Amino acid sequence: TLAAQRRERGRTNWRDAPDVCSFYFTRFPEEMGEKDLWFEFKKWGDVREVFIAKKKNRSGRKYGFVRFKGVVDMGMLERQLDNMIIGLKLHANCPKHGRE
């Protein structure tokens, strides 16, 4: 993998740390931006990135990804995020496909 190649060359990226994890999310108010969601997600941990895709998912909804650092229990954080209500009940889970 790319992360392994970087480690071999002595360069590391904070995204490759074992305590960093990403979550896919959807079902949030259309008018909310990355900064608004950053403050909502911040309640659950050390947020490092929030990204909202320009495209929509198969259901025609906006979606995005949030990345946390310092995660001890990924399953518990996933359940907490999936139970958030931001106007609508947010849907959150671990991404099904990783990035290259």
Side-chain angles (χ1 to χ4, degrees):
T1 67
L2 189 58
Q5 291 170 352
R6 282 188 186 138
R7 278 194 295 276
E8 282 177 26
R9 288 182 290 203
R11 290 186 302 180
T12 58
N13 186 321
W14 65 267
R15 290 177 180 91
D16 301 329
D19 66 339
V20 172
C21 62
S22 297
F23 295 92
Y24 165 89
F25 64 88
T26 188
R27 289 185 46 92
F28 57 94
E30 291 275 328
E31 64 275 3
M32 289 189 86
E34 292 171 350
K35 191 173 182 180
D36 302 313
L37 288 164
W38 183 289
F39 288 109
E40 292 295 327
F41 290 129
K42 194 87 178 133
K43 297 172 186 173
W44 301 107
D46 183 3
V47 177
R48 292 300 172 99
E49 289 181 319
V50 176
F51 168 78
I52 298 174
K54 291 183 182 9
K55 297 179 183 179
K56 297 196 177 190
N57 65 14
R58 280 190 244 155
S59 304
R61 295 185 183 272
K62 287 174 72 175
Y63 70 94
F65 297 90
V66 58
R67 190 168 304 196
F68 289 89
K69 177 143 178 53
V71 177
V72 177
D73 186 340
M74 198 166 144
M76 188 172 83
L77 180 56
E78 182 178 12
R79 284 187 299 280
Q80 289 170 327
L81 296 176
D82 195 50
N83 286 313
M84 284 177 67
I85 296 176
I86 312 173
L88 303 165
K89 185 197 165 293
L90 189 79
H91 171 75
N93 62 17
C94 296
K96 294 190 177 17
H97 307 286
R99 290 180 67 176
E100 286 299 317

